[in-house]
mmCIF file of all heavy atoms in Angstrom:
data_model
loop_
_atom_site.group_PDB
_atom_site.id
_atom_site.type_symbol
_atom_site.label_atom_id
_atom_site.label_comp_id
_atom_site.label_asym_id
_atom_site.label_seq_id
_atom_site.Cartn_x
_atom_site.Cartn_y
_atom_site.Cartn_z
ATOM 1 N N GLY W 24 116.663 103.141 89.351
ATOM 2 C CA GLY W 24 116.887 104.398 88.637
ATOM 3 C C GLY W 24 116.410 105.590 89.432
ATOM 4 O O GLY W 24 117.069 106.627 89.508
ATOM 5 N N LEU W 25 115.256 105.436 90.081
ATOM 6 C CA LEU W 25 114.734 106.529 90.906
ATOM 7 C C LEU W 25 115.625 106.774 92.116
ATOM 8 O O LEU W 25 115.916 107.909 92.482
ATOM 9 C CB LEU W 25 113.317 106.198 91.371
ATOM 10 C CG LEU W 25 112.226 106.289 90.298
ATOM 11 C CD1 LEU W 25 110.935 105.702 90.843
ATOM 12 C CD2 LEU W 25 112.025 107.711 89.850
ATOM 13 N N LEU W 26 116.077 105.699 92.750
ATOM 14 C CA LEU W 26 116.938 105.864 93.911
ATOM 15 C C LEU W 26 118.247 106.536 93.541
ATOM 16 O O LEU W 26 118.797 107.322 94.313
ATOM 17 C CB LEU W 26 117.201 104.505 94.554
ATOM 18 C CG LEU W 26 115.977 103.835 95.199
ATOM 19 C CD1 LEU W 26 116.370 102.474 95.750
ATOM 20 C CD2 LEU W 26 115.385 104.695 96.295
ATOM 21 N N ALA W 27 118.732 106.257 92.333
ATOM 22 C CA ALA W 27 119.976 106.893 91.908
ATOM 23 C C ALA W 27 119.829 108.399 91.811
ATOM 24 O O ALA W 27 120.789 109.148 91.966
ATOM 25 C CB ALA W 27 120.418 106.320 90.558
ATOM 26 N N LEU W 28 118.602 108.853 91.569
ATOM 27 C CA LEU W 28 118.368 110.283 91.453
ATOM 28 C C LEU W 28 118.300 110.986 92.805
ATOM 29 O O LEU W 28 118.271 112.203 92.863
ATOM 30 C CB LEU W 28 117.052 110.529 90.701
ATOM 31 C CG LEU W 28 117.059 110.175 89.222
ATOM 32 C CD1 LEU W 28 115.638 110.238 88.685
ATOM 33 C CD2 LEU W 28 117.963 111.101 88.442
ATOM 34 N N THR W 29 118.258 110.216 93.888
ATOM 35 C CA THR W 29 118.062 110.836 95.197
ATOM 36 C C THR W 29 119.359 111.229 95.880
ATOM 37 O O THR W 29 119.338 111.685 97.009
ATOM 38 C CB THR W 29 117.284 109.892 96.138
ATOM 39 O OG1 THR W 29 118.117 108.745 96.413
ATOM 40 C CG2 THR W 29 115.998 109.436 95.517
ATOM 41 N N VAL W 30 120.484 111.049 95.196
ATOM 42 C CA VAL W 30 121.760 111.386 95.816
ATOM 43 C C VAL W 30 121.756 112.825 96.315
ATOM 44 O O VAL W 30 122.238 113.141 97.398
ATOM 45 C CB VAL W 30 122.909 111.159 94.823
ATOM 46 C CG1 VAL W 30 124.225 111.653 95.405
ATOM 47 C CG2 VAL W 30 123.010 109.679 94.473
ATOM 48 N N ALA W 31 121.198 113.716 95.522
ATOM 49 C CA ALA W 31 121.227 115.140 95.885
ATOM 50 C C ALA W 31 120.431 115.434 97.143
ATOM 51 O O ALA W 31 120.680 116.426 97.821
ATOM 52 C CB ALA W 31 120.691 115.983 94.729
ATOM 53 N N THR W 32 119.464 114.570 97.484
ATOM 54 C CA THR W 32 118.639 114.837 98.668
ATOM 55 C C THR W 32 118.978 113.924 99.827
ATOM 56 O O THR W 32 118.304 113.960 100.849
ATOM 57 C CB THR W 32 117.142 114.668 98.324
ATOM 58 O OG1 THR W 32 116.943 113.342 97.829
ATOM 59 C CG2 THR W 32 116.688 115.671 97.318
ATOM 60 N N ALA W 33 120.034 113.103 99.687
ATOM 61 C CA ALA W 33 120.343 112.128 100.725
ATOM 62 C C ALA W 33 120.602 112.789 102.072
ATOM 63 O O ALA W 33 120.285 112.244 103.128
ATOM 64 C CB ALA W 33 121.547 111.289 100.327
ATOM 65 N N ALA W 34 121.179 113.974 102.058
ATOM 66 C CA ALA W 34 121.531 114.631 103.317
ATOM 67 C C ALA W 34 120.305 115.043 104.112
ATOM 68 O O ALA W 34 120.397 115.281 105.311
ATOM 69 C CB ALA W 34 122.399 115.855 103.045
ATOM 70 N N CYS W 35 119.149 115.143 103.464
ATOM 71 C CA CYS W 35 117.955 115.582 104.196
ATOM 72 C C CYS W 35 116.865 114.522 104.157
ATOM 73 O O CYS W 35 115.685 114.840 104.163
ATOM 74 C CB CYS W 35 117.445 116.914 103.638
ATOM 75 S SG CYS W 35 117.010 116.880 101.910
ATOM 76 N N THR W 36 117.254 113.246 104.077
ATOM 77 C CA THR W 36 116.272 112.175 104.074
ATOM 78 C C THR W 36 116.591 111.167 105.155
ATOM 79 O O THR W 36 117.719 111.042 105.612
ATOM 80 C CB THR W 36 116.242 111.452 102.719
ATOM 81 O OG1 THR W 36 117.551 110.914 102.464
ATOM 82 C CG2 THR W 36 115.849 112.372 101.595
ATOM 83 N N THR W 37 115.571 110.428 105.581
ATOM 84 C CA THR W 37 115.750 109.354 106.541
ATOM 85 C C THR W 37 114.920 108.169 106.111
ATOM 86 O O THR W 37 113.910 108.318 105.430
ATOM 87 C CB THR W 37 115.287 109.778 107.945
ATOM 88 O OG1 THR W 37 113.893 110.066 107.899
ATOM 89 C CG2 THR W 37 116.042 110.979 108.456
ATOM 90 N N ALA W 38 115.348 106.995 106.509
ATOM 91 C CA ALA W 38 114.525 105.808 106.265
ATOM 92 C C ALA W 38 113.333 105.860 107.199
ATOM 93 O O ALA W 38 113.467 106.096 108.390
ATOM 94 C CB ALA W 38 115.348 104.547 106.525
ATOM 95 N N ASP W 39 112.145 105.623 106.660
ATOM 96 C CA ASP W 39 110.935 105.699 107.475
ATOM 97 C C ASP W 39 109.937 104.673 106.981
ATOM 98 O O ASP W 39 108.954 105.004 106.325
ATOM 99 C CB ASP W 39 110.347 107.111 107.410
ATOM 100 C CG ASP W 39 109.144 107.273 108.342
ATOM 101 O OD1 ASP W 39 108.875 106.339 109.119
ATOM 102 O OD2 ASP W 39 108.501 108.323 108.269
ATOM 103 N N PRO W 40 110.168 103.396 107.257
ATOM 104 C CA PRO W 40 109.252 102.369 106.782
ATOM 105 C C PRO W 40 107.853 102.532 107.350
ATOM 106 O O PRO W 40 106.912 101.949 106.845
ATOM 107 C CB PRO W 40 109.907 101.068 107.273
ATOM 108 C CG PRO W 40 111.344 101.431 107.540
ATOM 109 C CD PRO W 40 111.311 102.848 107.988
ATOM 110 N N ALA W 41 107.693 103.326 108.402
ATOM 111 C CA ALA W 41 106.365 103.478 109.005
ATOM 112 C C ALA W 41 105.413 104.272 108.140
ATOM 113 O O ALA W 41 104.225 104.313 108.399
ATOM 114 C CB ALA W 41 106.490 104.150 110.362
ATOM 115 N N ALA W 42 105.948 104.920 107.088
ATOM 116 C CA ALA W 42 105.078 105.724 106.223
ATOM 117 C C ALA W 42 104.354 104.808 105.259
ATOM 118 O O ALA W 42 104.534 104.864 104.057
ATOM 119 C CB ALA W 42 105.901 106.749 105.462
ATOM 120 N N ALA W 43 103.550 103.943 105.776
ATOM 121 C CA ALA W 43 102.853 102.954 104.959
ATOM 122 C C ALA W 43 101.508 103.496 104.530
ATOM 123 O O ALA W 43 100.934 104.362 105.175
ATOM 124 C CB ALA W 43 102.655 101.671 105.777
ATOM 125 N N PRO W 44 100.960 102.991 103.427
ATOM 126 C CA PRO W 44 99.659 103.461 102.959
ATOM 127 C C PRO W 44 98.551 103.010 103.895
ATOM 128 O O PRO W 44 98.660 101.982 104.564
ATOM 129 C CB PRO W 44 99.520 102.814 101.573
ATOM 130 C CG PRO W 44 100.401 101.616 101.633
ATOM 131 C CD PRO W 44 101.536 101.988 102.535
ATOM 132 N N THR W 45 97.487 103.779 103.918
ATOM 133 C CA THR W 45 96.345 103.411 104.746
ATOM 134 C C THR W 45 95.400 102.489 104.002
ATOM 135 O O THR W 45 94.506 101.912 104.586
ATOM 136 C CB THR W 45 95.577 104.660 105.178
ATOM 137 O OG1 THR W 45 95.200 105.389 104.016
ATOM 138 C CG2 THR W 45 96.435 105.552 106.054
ATOM 139 N N THR W 46 95.558 102.373 102.690
ATOM 140 C CA THR W 46 94.748 101.466 101.894
ATOM 141 C C THR W 46 95.676 100.641 101.036
ATOM 142 O O THR W 46 96.836 100.963 100.853
ATOM 143 C CB THR W 46 93.759 102.226 100.997
ATOM 144 O OG1 THR W 46 94.513 103.089 100.143
ATOM 145 C CG2 THR W 46 92.799 103.059 101.811
ATOM 146 N N SER W 47 95.163 99.572 100.475
ATOM 147 C CA SER W 47 96.016 98.677 99.686
ATOM 148 C C SER W 47 95.349 98.285 98.383
ATOM 149 O O SER W 47 94.947 97.141 98.175
ATOM 150 C CB SER W 47 96.343 97.421 100.509
ATOM 151 O OG SER W 47 97.003 97.767 101.701
ATOM 152 N N PRO W 48 95.177 99.236 97.446
ATOM 153 C CA PRO W 48 94.637 98.882 96.153
ATOM 154 C C PRO W 48 95.617 98.010 95.409
ATOM 155 O O PRO W 48 96.805 98.003 95.679
ATOM 156 C CB PRO W 48 94.459 100.245 95.456
ATOM 157 C CG PRO W 48 95.427 101.136 96.132
ATOM 158 C CD PRO W 48 95.514 100.654 97.540
ATOM 159 N N SER W 49 95.117 97.264 94.439
ATOM 160 C CA SER W 49 96.003 96.398 93.672
ATOM 161 C C SER W 49 97.008 97.224 92.906
ATOM 162 O O SER W 49 96.715 98.305 92.418
ATOM 163 C CB SER W 49 95.176 95.552 92.695
ATOM 164 O OG SER W 49 94.452 96.395 91.825
ATOM 165 N N ALA W 50 98.215 96.681 92.823
ATOM 166 C CA ALA W 50 99.291 97.414 92.162
ATOM 167 C C ALA W 50 99.246 97.194 90.669
ATOM 168 O O ALA W 50 99.125 96.074 90.196
ATOM 169 C CB ALA W 50 100.631 96.955 92.720
ATOM 170 N N GLY W 51 99.344 98.279 89.920
ATOM 171 C CA GLY W 51 99.428 98.193 88.473
ATOM 172 C C GLY W 51 100.870 98.144 88.043
ATOM 173 O O GLY W 51 101.790 98.116 88.861
ATOM 174 N N PRO W 52 101.139 98.148 86.732
ATOM 175 C CA PRO W 52 102.507 98.080 86.255
ATOM 176 C C PRO W 52 103.273 99.351 86.565
ATOM 177 O O PRO W 52 102.725 100.437 86.537
ATOM 178 C CB PRO W 52 102.331 97.890 84.741
ATOM 179 C CG PRO W 52 101.001 98.490 84.449
ATOM 180 C CD PRO W 52 100.159 98.194 85.650
ATOM 181 N N THR W 53 104.557 99.189 86.871
ATOM 182 C CA THR W 53 105.431 100.334 87.062
ATOM 183 C C THR W 53 105.869 100.860 85.709
ATOM 184 O O THR W 53 106.216 100.089 84.828
ATOM 185 C CB THR W 53 106.668 99.907 87.863
ATOM 186 O OG1 THR W 53 106.237 99.367 89.108
ATOM 187 C CG2 THR W 53 107.581 101.087 88.118
ATOM 188 N N THR W 54 105.847 102.168 85.544
ATOM 189 C CA THR W 54 106.238 102.764 84.280
ATOM 190 C C THR W 54 107.418 103.669 84.493
ATOM 191 O O THR W 54 107.418 104.503 85.391
ATOM 192 C CB THR W 54 105.075 103.586 83.691
ATOM 193 O OG1 THR W 54 103.943 102.732 83.582
ATOM 194 C CG2 THR W 54 105.434 104.131 82.315
ATOM 195 N N ALA W 55 108.426 103.526 83.663
ATOM 196 C CA ALA W 55 109.591 104.385 83.777
ATOM 197 C C ALA W 55 109.261 105.794 83.345
ATOM 198 O O ALA W 55 108.347 106.013 82.547
ATOM 199 C CB ALA W 55 110.728 103.837 82.914
ATOM 200 N N PRO W 56 109.991 106.805 83.843
ATOM 201 C CA PRO W 56 109.759 108.177 83.409
ATOM 202 C C PRO W 56 109.923 108.296 81.904
ATOM 203 O O PRO W 56 110.825 107.732 81.317
ATOM 204 C CB PRO W 56 110.853 108.958 84.150
ATOM 205 C CG PRO W 56 111.182 108.113 85.337
ATOM 206 C CD PRO W 56 111.030 106.704 84.872
ATOM 207 N N SER W 57 109.038 109.036 81.271
ATOM 208 C CA SER W 57 109.112 109.244 79.828
ATOM 209 C C SER W 57 108.485 110.571 79.495
ATOM 210 O O SER W 57 107.809 111.176 80.303
ATOM 211 C CB SER W 57 108.373 108.123 79.078
ATOM 212 O OG SER W 57 107.005 108.129 79.413
ATOM 213 N N ALA W 58 108.706 111.041 78.270
ATOM 214 C CA ALA W 58 108.147 112.324 77.856
ATOM 215 C C ALA W 58 106.707 112.129 77.430
ATOM 216 O O ALA W 58 106.368 112.156 76.261
ATOM 217 C CB ALA W 58 108.971 112.924 76.725
ATOM 218 N N SER W 59 105.842 111.882 78.363
ATOM 219 C CA SER W 59 104.430 111.662 78.079
ATOM 220 C C SER W 59 103.614 112.761 78.718
ATOM 221 O O SER W 59 104.012 113.349 79.706
ATOM 222 C CB SER W 59 103.985 110.296 78.617
ATOM 223 O OG SER W 59 104.208 110.238 80.004
ATOM 224 N N PRO W 60 102.426 113.057 78.176
ATOM 225 C CA PRO W 60 101.621 114.146 78.716
ATOM 226 C C PRO W 60 100.970 113.764 80.025
ATOM 227 O O PRO W 60 100.794 112.597 80.344
ATOM 228 C CB PRO W 60 100.571 114.368 77.619
ATOM 229 C CG PRO W 60 100.417 113.016 77.002
ATOM 230 C CD PRO W 60 101.801 112.409 77.029
ATOM 231 N N THR W 61 100.599 114.771 80.772
ATOM 232 C CA THR W 61 99.847 114.549 81.994
ATOM 233 C C THR W 61 98.446 114.076 81.647
ATOM 234 O O THR W 61 97.855 114.519 80.673
ATOM 235 C CB THR W 61 99.754 115.865 82.780
ATOM 236 O OG1 THR W 61 101.072 116.340 83.017
ATOM 237 C CG2 THR W 61 99.024 115.682 84.090
ATOM 238 N N ALA W 62 97.924 113.173 82.446
ATOM 239 C CA ALA W 62 96.556 112.728 82.226
ATOM 240 C C ALA W 62 95.604 113.904 82.360
ATOM 241 O O ALA W 62 95.841 114.835 83.117
ATOM 242 C CB ALA W 62 96.194 111.645 83.238
ATOM 243 N N ALA W 63 94.513 113.854 81.610
ATOM 244 C CA ALA W 63 93.547 114.947 81.654
ATOM 245 C C ALA W 63 92.954 115.063 83.048
ATOM 246 O O ALA W 63 92.767 114.070 83.747
ATOM 247 C CB ALA W 63 92.430 114.693 80.636
ATOM 248 N N PRO W 64 92.660 116.276 83.486
ATOM 249 C CA PRO W 64 92.033 116.449 84.800
ATOM 250 C C PRO W 64 90.751 115.649 84.892
ATOM 251 O O PRO W 64 90.002 115.530 83.921
ATOM 252 C CB PRO W 64 91.748 117.956 84.861
ATOM 253 C CG PRO W 64 92.696 118.566 83.882
ATOM 254 C CD PRO W 64 92.862 117.546 82.795
ATOM 255 N N SER W 65 90.490 115.110 86.073
ATOM 256 C CA SER W 65 89.302 114.290 86.236
ATOM 257 C C SER W 65 88.243 114.925 87.129
ATOM 258 O O SER W 65 87.215 114.331 87.373
ATOM 259 C CB SER W 65 89.683 112.927 86.819
ATOM 260 O OG SER W 65 90.342 113.088 88.057
ATOM 261 N N ALA W 66 88.507 116.122 87.612
ATOM 262 C CA ALA W 66 87.546 116.766 88.511
ATOM 263 C C ALA W 66 86.253 117.102 87.790
ATOM 264 O O ALA W 66 86.238 117.407 86.607
ATOM 265 C CB ALA W 66 88.152 118.034 89.105
ATOM 266 N N SER W 67 85.156 117.052 88.505
ATOM 267 C CA SER W 67 83.855 117.384 87.942
ATOM 268 C C SER W 67 83.747 118.861 87.623
ATOM 269 O O SER W 67 84.280 119.703 88.325
ATOM 270 C CB SER W 67 82.763 116.994 88.948
ATOM 271 O OG SER W 67 81.542 117.598 88.627
ATOM 272 N N ARG W 68 83.031 119.197 86.559
ATOM 273 C CA ARG W 68 82.833 120.597 86.201
ATOM 274 C C ARG W 68 81.811 121.260 87.117
ATOM 275 O O ARG W 68 81.546 122.430 86.994
ATOM 276 C CB ARG W 68 82.379 120.711 84.748
ATOM 277 C CG ARG W 68 83.431 120.260 83.764
ATOM 278 C CD ARG W 68 82.992 120.535 82.343
ATOM 279 N NE ARG W 68 82.821 121.949 82.101
ATOM 280 C CZ ARG W 68 83.805 122.795 81.812
ATOM 281 N NH1 ARG W 68 85.033 122.361 81.754
ATOM 282 N NH2 ARG W 68 83.568 124.064 81.593
ATOM 283 N N THR W 69 81.216 120.525 88.030
ATOM 284 C CA THR W 69 80.205 121.121 88.903
ATOM 285 C C THR W 69 80.771 121.555 90.238
ATOM 286 O O THR W 69 80.028 121.906 91.134
ATOM 287 C CB THR W 69 79.057 120.128 89.141
ATOM 288 O OG1 THR W 69 79.601 118.928 89.753
ATOM 289 C CG2 THR W 69 78.368 119.771 87.850
ATOM 290 N N GLY W 70 82.096 121.508 90.387
ATOM 291 C CA GLY W 70 82.627 122.056 91.620
ATOM 292 C C GLY W 70 83.776 121.307 92.226
ATOM 293 O O GLY W 70 84.261 121.660 93.281
#
C-alpha cells in the first residue's frame, strides 16, 4: 500500500539498498496508516 503511494515520486527516486540502519532493534508490528493521534512528546522538560 505504501509503495503504491510512491508513484508520484518515482521520477525522483532510486533504489538504494545501501541505506541500511546502523542499529538493529527488534522489529515491532507494522501498523497501517489510520486516523490516530500523534504520540505525546517524550522530551524532558529540563531541556
Side-chain angles (χ1 to χ4, degrees):
L25 287 170
L26 293 178
L28 291 170
T29 67
V30 174
T32 58
C35 59
T36 59
T37 63
D39 185 7
T45 56
T46 59
S47 301
S49 59
T53 302
T54 304
S57 62
S59 59
T61 304
S65 58
S67 164
R68 294 186 63 82
T69 59

